[in-house]
Structures are given as C-alpha cells and as structure tokens.
Amino acid sequence: MLARPRTKSMVFAAVGLALLAATASARAQSAASEGQKLAFDRAKGNCLTCHDIKGGDLPGTIGPKLEDIKGKYPDRTDLLAILDDETKRNPQTMMPPFGRNRILTEQEINAIVDFLETL
C-alpha cells in the first residue's frame, strides 16, 4: 500500500521535471530568437556591419565570421564581457562597448549571447 503513493509522487516529479525542461527550452529558444533580431537590427546590435553570420544579409568582413561560438567560447561570461566592453581585454579593438556605452541593455546582451551560442 505504501508503494503506490511513492510511485505516484515519483511520476508527478518526473512529469514536473519534464515540464520544467520543456519550459526552459522554450524560453531559451525565445531568448535566442530575440537575440538574433537584435544582432541583425541595424539600429541596435548591428552585428552584421562587421561580422558574417549565418542567416544575415549584407555582412561585413571587419570582424571574424561568427560560427562555432559555443566551441570557441565555452564560458558564457567571455561572450558577455566581449559584448559589454571588449576594450577591457583588447584596447585596440574596433568592437563597440555595447554595455558600457548603453547601446544594449544587460538583458539584450544576454539575448544576443543566447543567439550566438546557437551558431
């Protein structure tokens, strides 16, 4: 008799975890989609001015092609730092300090990083 409630609670826990995972996945896809919009927006992120990005039109060639980002930057904080203010790591960079100059909010930078991690 005691096994049944435990089994039910395990089923409920498994279903709950599955729903949480699905919700987190949907949220991540939504954030990545928003990040792509920002990255391709010529008035906001404007990443295509300097970078070739899959799916983007009229890319620039000043910066590196943005591909295999998760492999190149496995630590998300590195990407966040680059978008916030790359001049801290490389004073000679042409990369705009999007965070420092308040071109992008912290939330927008996070969304762009979510997108970049899909490349």
Side-chain angles (χ1 to χ4, degrees), residues 36-37 39-42 48 51-59 65-66 115 119:
Q36 181 181 22
K37 288 178 191 170
F40 290 178
D41 184 340
R42 298 287 181 176
L48 289 168
H51 300 280
D52 185 354
I53 307 171
K54 181 180 176 182
D57 295 328
L58 303 170
K65 184 174 184 176
L66 299 182
F115 164 62
L119 300 176

Short mmCIF file of all heavy atoms in Angstrom, two decimals, residues 36-37 39-42 48 51-59 65-66 115 119:
data_model
loop_
_atom_site.label_atom_id
_atom_site.label_comp_id
_atom_site.label_asym_id
_atom_site.label_seq_id
_atom_site.Cartn_x
_atom_site.Cartn_y
_atom_site.Cartn_z
N GLN A 36 18.76 37.08 -31.99
CA GLN A 36 19.02 37.16 -33.43
C GLN A 36 18.44 38.45 -34.00
O GLN A 36 19.09 39.14 -34.78
CB GLN A 36 18.44 35.96 -34.16
CG GLN A 36 18.71 36.01 -35.66
CD GLN A 36 18.12 34.83 -36.41
OE1 GLN A 36 17.19 34.19 -35.95
NE2 GLN A 36 18.68 34.56 -37.57
N LYS A 37 17.23 38.79 -33.59
CA LYS A 37 16.61 40.03 -34.06
C LYS A 37 17.49 41.23 -33.69
O LYS A 37 17.71 42.13 -34.51
CB LYS A 37 15.22 40.21 -33.46
CG LYS A 37 14.18 39.27 -34.02
CD LYS A 37 12.84 39.48 -33.32
CE LYS A 37 11.87 38.38 -33.67
NZ LYS A 37 10.67 38.41 -32.84
N ALA A 39 20.75 41.20 -32.99
CA ALA A 39 22.03 41.12 -33.68
C ALA A 39 21.92 41.61 -35.12
O ALA A 39 22.83 42.24 -35.66
CB ALA A 39 22.56 39.68 -33.65
N PHE A 40 20.78 41.31 -35.77
CA PHE A 40 20.58 41.69 -37.17
C PHE A 40 19.98 43.08 -37.33
O PHE A 40 19.93 43.61 -38.43
CB PHE A 40 19.68 40.67 -37.86
CG PHE A 40 20.31 39.31 -38.07
CD1 PHE A 40 19.58 38.29 -38.64
CD2 PHE A 40 21.62 39.05 -37.72
CE1 PHE A 40 20.14 37.04 -38.86
CE2 PHE A 40 22.20 37.80 -37.92
CZ PHE A 40 21.46 36.79 -38.50
N ASP A 41 19.54 43.69 -36.25
CA ASP A 41 18.92 45.01 -36.30
C ASP A 41 20.00 46.07 -36.52
O ASP A 41 20.86 46.28 -35.67
CB ASP A 41 18.17 45.26 -34.98
CG ASP A 41 17.41 46.58 -34.96
OD1 ASP A 41 17.71 47.48 -35.77
OD2 ASP A 41 16.50 46.70 -34.12
N ARG A 42 19.94 46.75 -37.65
CA ARG A 42 20.97 47.73 -38.00
C ARG A 42 20.96 48.94 -37.05
O ARG A 42 21.95 49.66 -36.96
CB ARG A 42 20.77 48.22 -39.44
CG ARG A 42 20.91 47.13 -40.48
CD ARG A 42 22.33 46.69 -40.68
NE ARG A 42 22.40 45.65 -41.71
CZ ARG A 42 23.52 45.14 -42.13
NH1 ARG A 42 24.67 45.54 -41.66
NH2 ARG A 42 23.50 44.19 -43.04
N LEU A 48 25.92 42.62 -38.03
CA LEU A 48 26.21 42.35 -39.44
C LEU A 48 27.08 43.42 -40.09
O LEU A 48 27.62 43.20 -41.17
CB LEU A 48 24.90 42.20 -40.22
CG LEU A 48 24.12 40.91 -39.92
CD1 LEU A 48 22.73 40.99 -40.52
CD2 LEU A 48 24.88 39.71 -40.45
N HIS A 51 30.40 41.50 -38.99
CA HIS A 51 30.52 40.05 -38.95
C HIS A 51 29.63 39.36 -39.98
O HIS A 51 28.51 39.80 -40.24
CB HIS A 51 30.11 39.53 -37.56
CG HIS A 51 30.94 40.06 -36.44
ND1 HIS A 51 32.18 39.57 -36.14
CD2 HIS A 51 30.69 41.05 -35.55
CE1 HIS A 51 32.67 40.22 -35.10
NE2 HIS A 51 31.78 41.14 -34.73
N ASP A 52 30.13 38.25 -40.49
CA ASP A 52 29.35 37.34 -41.32
C ASP A 52 28.66 36.37 -40.37
O ASP A 52 29.33 35.68 -39.59
CB ASP A 52 30.27 36.59 -42.28
CG ASP A 52 29.54 35.70 -43.26
OD1 ASP A 52 28.31 35.56 -43.16
OD2 ASP A 52 30.22 35.13 -44.14
N ILE A 53 27.33 36.36 -40.40
CA ILE A 53 26.54 35.50 -39.53
C ILE A 53 25.53 34.75 -40.39
O ILE A 53 24.83 35.36 -41.20
CB ILE A 53 25.77 36.32 -38.47
CG1 ILE A 53 26.71 37.24 -37.69
CG2 ILE A 53 25.02 35.40 -37.52
CD1 ILE A 53 25.99 38.23 -36.79
N LYS A 54 25.46 33.44 -40.19
CA LYS A 54 24.52 32.62 -40.94
C LYS A 54 23.12 33.20 -40.82
O LYS A 54 22.66 33.49 -39.72
CB LYS A 54 24.55 31.19 -40.40
CG LYS A 54 23.63 30.25 -41.13
CD LYS A 54 23.70 28.85 -40.54
CE LYS A 54 22.71 27.95 -41.23
NZ LYS A 54 22.71 26.61 -40.66
N GLY A 55 22.47 33.41 -41.97
CA GLY A 55 21.11 33.95 -41.97
C GLY A 55 21.04 35.45 -42.11
O GLY A 55 19.96 35.99 -42.32
N GLY A 56 22.19 36.13 -42.02
CA GLY A 56 22.20 37.58 -42.12
C GLY A 56 22.44 38.06 -43.54
O GLY A 56 23.05 37.38 -44.34
N ASP A 57 21.93 39.23 -43.85
CA ASP A 57 22.10 39.85 -45.17
C ASP A 57 23.18 40.92 -45.14
O ASP A 57 23.29 41.66 -44.16
CB ASP A 57 20.79 40.49 -45.62
CG ASP A 57 19.68 39.47 -45.84
OD1 ASP A 57 19.99 38.34 -46.25
OD2 ASP A 57 18.51 39.82 -45.60
N LEU A 58 23.94 41.01 -46.21
CA LEU A 58 24.96 42.04 -46.39
C LEU A 58 25.94 42.12 -45.22
O LEU A 58 26.11 43.17 -44.60
CB LEU A 58 24.30 43.40 -46.63
CG LEU A 58 23.33 43.48 -47.81
CD1 LEU A 58 22.58 44.79 -47.78
CD2 LEU A 58 24.06 43.28 -49.12
N PRO A 59 26.61 41.00 -44.90
CA PRO A 59 27.53 41.01 -43.76
C PRO A 59 28.81 41.78 -44.06
O PRO A 59 29.23 41.92 -45.20
CB PRO A 59 27.83 39.54 -43.53
CG PRO A 59 27.71 38.93 -44.89
CD PRO A 59 26.58 39.71 -45.56
N LYS A 65 34.11 35.81 -38.80
CA LYS A 65 32.85 35.15 -39.07
C LYS A 65 32.37 34.53 -37.75
O LYS A 65 33.15 33.90 -37.04
CB LYS A 65 33.03 34.07 -40.13
CG LYS A 65 31.76 33.40 -40.53
CD LYS A 65 31.96 32.44 -41.69
CE LYS A 65 30.63 31.87 -42.12
NZ LYS A 65 30.78 31.01 -43.29
N LEU A 66 31.11 34.72 -37.44
CA LEU A 66 30.58 34.21 -36.18
C LEU A 66 29.97 32.82 -36.42
O LEU A 66 28.87 32.69 -36.93
CB LEU A 66 29.55 35.17 -35.59
CG LEU A 66 30.09 36.56 -35.25
CD1 LEU A 66 29.01 37.42 -34.62
CD2 LEU A 66 31.29 36.47 -34.33
N PHE A 115 21.67 33.81 -28.64
CA PHE A 115 21.68 33.58 -30.08
C PHE A 115 23.05 33.10 -30.56
O PHE A 115 23.16 32.13 -31.30
CB PHE A 115 21.26 34.85 -30.83
CG PHE A 115 21.58 34.82 -32.28
CD1 PHE A 115 21.00 33.86 -33.12
CD2 PHE A 115 22.47 35.72 -32.84
CE1 PHE A 115 21.30 33.82 -34.48
CE2 PHE A 115 22.78 35.69 -34.19
CZ PHE A 115 22.20 34.74 -35.02
N LEU A 119 25.02 29.36 -32.82
CA LEU A 119 25.76 29.34 -34.10
C LEU A 119 26.84 28.28 -34.09
O LEU A 119 27.41 27.94 -33.10
CB LEU A 119 26.40 30.72 -34.35
CG LEU A 119 25.43 31.89 -34.44
CD1 LEU A 119 26.20 33.19 -34.61
CD2 LEU A 119 24.46 31.71 -35.60
#
